[in-house]
């Protein structure tokens, strides 16, 4: 069943709302491209706000002085609001009296930081870092004169802090009951990246999770399509900030896209595709700088061999475990290692084992690595290298491998039929 309103979900990421000029451009894109459709607009935090919030949070949690970073963040949002909505003196009013306005949100953020307690790092992280999206959507909704909805009341998750798992039946029920009736009144703006628990606490869905939010909403509301508006021309075979001579895929299957996202192509959050594939909702990736250009259509399609895709994941850490008594790496040992990794929530990006050692490549997190070492130090000798990069070539050929490995010292490499991967220094 298609939604009778032919709902379109638009997602705008940090770069598309990085300042007042960017938000003005967003307004133009919405007015020109979205005219005549019911629109649900998902917005991320402005520019690098989430990083700044992480910094503020870490300082506050460690009991250090965070006021300078917080002040910059507050002033930045106030000044953008002031520029876009001068008649409201920097305040963006709530449409209903119950909804918090911009100044109220800024106050709530200050209060949260002032009342952090030691411990519960991940839980408190979510209560603080989620403010980036709340603030951004307040400003964007004001600029668009659109309805604002608090996504924490719409997307229900469990208590898996920083990677909330969606309670699909509850979310679908809530969204259908709340959002569908409002769509007739004009566009709706809501936050990406954040959800809420049954007990009213905020969760986040994982960094860069706003794409996933767009997919959750589209799935539950049976949207006609999702469009992710980006600063690139579509889904490219590599990140043009890193690699020269990129090519755009005009269309590509869900399956290929999932695999690219899984290997770390930062263009789309990995969890985004599945809900869309299940309900056969096409995903368009388009440029907010050139909104009429074709972009990429991700859908259920067949295509021939694709151009090799190059993916670089930085800030990687290579950890190797050796059994202390020169015993072989056994299933029993691996069980202990995997158990500890799951417990500290370090995800394996690549793994390899030899007789007496087992190596994994994982995203670097000092906090999680410390916990891992503390758990396993008694049983294993553990070495690790940081500041590494994991490169993946999907649909590789000899030339693409040569091109990428040339002049690099490979610390670990692995090849399957379609994929070539290696770890090297930054
Ligand atoms: N603002 C969040 C982040 O930077 C979510 C997103 O951008 O998708 O990770
Ligand atoms: Mg972002």
């Amino acid at each position: 069943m298609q939604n009778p309103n032919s709902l379109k979900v638009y997602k705008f990421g940090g770069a598309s709302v990085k300042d007042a000029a960017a938000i003005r451009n967003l307004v133009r894109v919405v007015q020109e491209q979205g005219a005549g459709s019911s629109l649900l607009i998902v917005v991320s935090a402005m520019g690098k706000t989430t990083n700044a919030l992480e910094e503020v949070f870490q300082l506050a949690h460690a009991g250090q002085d965070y006021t300078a970073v917080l002040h910059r963040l507050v002033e930045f949002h106030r000044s953008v609001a002031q520029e876009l909505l001068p008649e409201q003196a920097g305040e963006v009013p709530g449409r209903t009296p119950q909804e918090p306005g911009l100044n109220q949100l800024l106050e709530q953020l200050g209060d949260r930081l002032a009342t952090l307690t030691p411990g519960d790092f991940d839980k408190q992280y979510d209560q603080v870092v989620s403010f980036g999206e709340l603030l951004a959507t307040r400003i964007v909704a004001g600029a668009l004169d659109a309805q604002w909805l608090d996504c924490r009341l719409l997307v229900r998750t469990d208590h898996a802090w920083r990677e909330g798992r969606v309670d699909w039946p509850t979310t679908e029920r809530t969204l259908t009951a709340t959002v569908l009736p409002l769509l007739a009144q004009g566009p709706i703006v809501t936050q990406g990246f954040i959800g809420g628990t049954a007990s009213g606490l905020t969760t986040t869905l994982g960094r860069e999770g706003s794409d996933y939010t767009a997919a959750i909403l589209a799935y539950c509301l049976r949207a006609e399509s999702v469009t992710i508006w980006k600063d690139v021309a579509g889904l490219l075979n590599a990140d043009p900030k890193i690699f020269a001579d990129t090519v755009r895929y005009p269309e590509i299957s869900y399956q290929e896209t999932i695999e690219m996202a899984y290997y770390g192509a930062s263009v789309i959050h990995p969890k985004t595709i599945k809900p869309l594939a299940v309900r056969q909702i096409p995903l368009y990736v388009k440029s907010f700088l050139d909104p009429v250009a074709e972009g990429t259509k991700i859908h259920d399609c067949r295509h021939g061999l694709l151009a090799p895709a190059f993916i670089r994941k930085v800030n990687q850490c290579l950890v190797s475990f050796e059994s202390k008594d020169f015993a072989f790496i056994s299933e029993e040992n691996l069980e202990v290692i995997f158990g500890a990794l799951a417990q500290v929530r370090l995800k394996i990006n690549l793994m390899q084992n030899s007789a007496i050692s087992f190596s994994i490549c994982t995203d670097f997190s000092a906090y999680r690595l410390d916990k891992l070492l503390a758990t396993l130090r008694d049983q294993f000798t553990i070495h690790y290298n940081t500041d590494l990069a994991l490169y993946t070539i999907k649909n590789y050929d000899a030339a693409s491998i040569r091109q990428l490995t040339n002049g690099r010292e490979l610390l670990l490499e692995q090849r399957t039929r379609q994929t070539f991967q290696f770890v090297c220094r930054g």
Side-chain angles (χ1 to χ4, degrees):
M1 185 189 77
Q2 280 295 332
N3 180 332
N5 295 318
S6 49
L7 166 69
K8 289 185 177 155
V9 176
Y10 278 5
K11 182 261 170 171
F12 288 94
S16 64
V17 290
K18 70 176 195 301
D19 53 23
I23 295 175
R24 281 202 192 94
N25 181 64
L26 175 155
V27 171
R28 253 192 320 273
V29 171
V30 168
Q31 283 169 352
E32 286 168 15
Q33 302 298 311
S37 313
S38 296
L39 284 187
L40 178 53
I41 302 166
V42 177
V43 177
S44 311
M46 297 179 65
K48 299 278 174 243
T49 299
T50 306
N51 292 351
L53 280 165
E54 282 190 344
E55 193 188 338
V56 174
F57 171 71
Q58 266 152 15
L59 289 169
H61 191 263
Q64 289 164 9
D65 183 10
Y66 57 84
T67 47
V69 195
L70 178 63
H71 181 74
R72 268 203 302 281
L73 210 127
V74 169
E75 286 313 305
F76 169 66
H77 284 86
R78 284 225 171 97
S79 73
V80 173
Q82 173 76 44
E83 192 177 334
L84 290 169
L85 303 147
E87 68 284 6
Q88 279 133 22
E91 174 58 293
V92 187
R95 280 175 72 102
T96 68
Q98 301 93 303
E99 289 177 7
L102 185 71
N103 285 333
Q104 250 170 304
L105 288 169
L106 289 168
E107 261 167 46
Q108 286 174 9
L109 170 61
D111 291 347
R112 290 270 161 87
L113 286 162
T115 53
L116 291 186
T117 50
D120 257 340
F121 186 91
D122 289 342
K123 178 178 176 185
Q124 299 188 69
Y125 170 104
D126 281 357
Q127 312 316 307
V128 169
V129 173
S130 48
F131 270 87
E133 273 66 17
L134 292 166
L135 296 167
T137 47
R138 252 298 157 231
I139 297 173
V140 172
L144 277 168
D145 195 21
Q147 307 172 78
W148 180 88
L149 286 183
D150 188 335
C151 208
R152 296 172 297 182
L153 307 175
L154 303 177
V155 173
R156 170 69 60 80
T157 73
D158 66 0
H159 290 80
W161 312 113
R162 299 181 70 174
E163 51 182 340
R165 282 182 293 251
V166 176
D167 169 350
W168 291 93
T170 306
T171 302
E172 186 160 355
R173 248 194 331 272
T174 312
L175 279 166
T176 313
T178 327
V179 175
L180 286 185
L182 293 176
L183 280 168
Q185 297 170 31
I188 296 174
V189 170
T190 194
Q191 306 79 40
F193 179 55
I194 70 177
T197 65
S199 55
L201 288 165
T202 306
T203 48
T204 61
L205 306 177
R207 286 300 309 264
E208 306 302 329
S210 297
D211 297 342
Y212 183 38
T213 303
I216 297 166
L217 303 181
Y219 172 92
C220 292
L221 295 165
R222 296 172 187 270
E224 172 194 292
S225 66
V226 174
T227 307
I228 298 184
W229 295 97
K230 299 199 60 100
D231 56 359
V232 287
L235 189 64
L236 308 178
N237 72 324
D239 181 346
K241 292 186 196 107
I242 308 171
F243 298 95
D245 304 326
T246 53
V247 295
R248 173 177 59 88
Y249 302 116
E251 69 167 356
I252 186 164
S253 67
Y254 293 121
Q255 176 77 32
E256 278 285 337
T257 313
I258 284 187
E259 290 178 16
M260 282 186 202
Y262 171 80
Y263 292 125
S266 60
V267 68
I268 291 168
H269 189 276
K271 286 184 179 169
T272 310
I273 302 299
K274 187 175 164 200
L276 300 180
V278 169
R279 291 210 164 148
Q280 296 283 302
I281 300 167
L283 170 61
Y284 296 93
V285 182
K286 286 168 73 91
S287 165
F288 59 76
L289 301 168
D290 187 6
V292 291
E294 180 190 40
T296 297
K297 181 176 185 181
I298 300 163
H299 63 143
D300 205 0
C301 63
R302 294 187 162 276
H303 38 61
L305 198 61
L306 294 167
F310 297 92
I311 301 152
R312 182 175 77 160
K313 228 170 152 51
V314 291
N315 205 16
Q316 297 295 293
C317 171
L318 197 57
V319 191
S320 64
F321 308 86
E322 274 169 35
S323 46
K324 286 210 158 150
D325 50 4
F326 289 97
F328 292 126
I329 286 287
S330 63
E331 284 70 20
E332 286 75 18
N333 280 335
L334 289 175
E335 189 178 4
V336 172
I337 294 170
F338 282 129
L341 287 168
Q343 204 190 338
V344 305
R345 289 164 61 185
L346 272 177
K347 294 204 175 73
I348 300 172
N349 295 328
L350 191 73
M351 60 184 169
Q352 211 166 65
N353 73 315
S354 65
I356 56 161
S357 121
F358 175 67
S359 305
I360 61 156
C361 177
T362 173
D363 295 350
F364 175 69
S365 151
Y367 169 76
R368 293 181 202 283
L369 198 58
D370 278 351
K371 275 173 64 173
L372 183 76
L373 295 183
T375 314
L376 295 178
R377 203 172 337 213
D378 289 344
Q379 291 174 69
F380 300 93
T381 307
I382 303 174
H383 301 283
Y384 66 91
N385 286 313
T386 57
D387 288 325
L388 304 178
L390 168 63
Y391 284 86
T392 303
I393 312 176
K394 201 168 175 315
N395 308 318
Y396 65 86
D397 54 18
S400 55
I401 292 182
R402 237 183 352 261
Q403 182 191 337
L404 207 58
T405 56
N406 196 11
R408 292 200 160 101
E409 186 203 346
L410 312 194
L411 304 178
L412 193 147
E413 75 174 80
Q414 210 165 80
R415 165 188 326 228
T416 63
R417 219 146 38 89
Q418 263 117 32
T419 311
F420 181 82
Q421 294 186 285
F422 63 90
V423 179
C424 65
R425 276 180 222 297

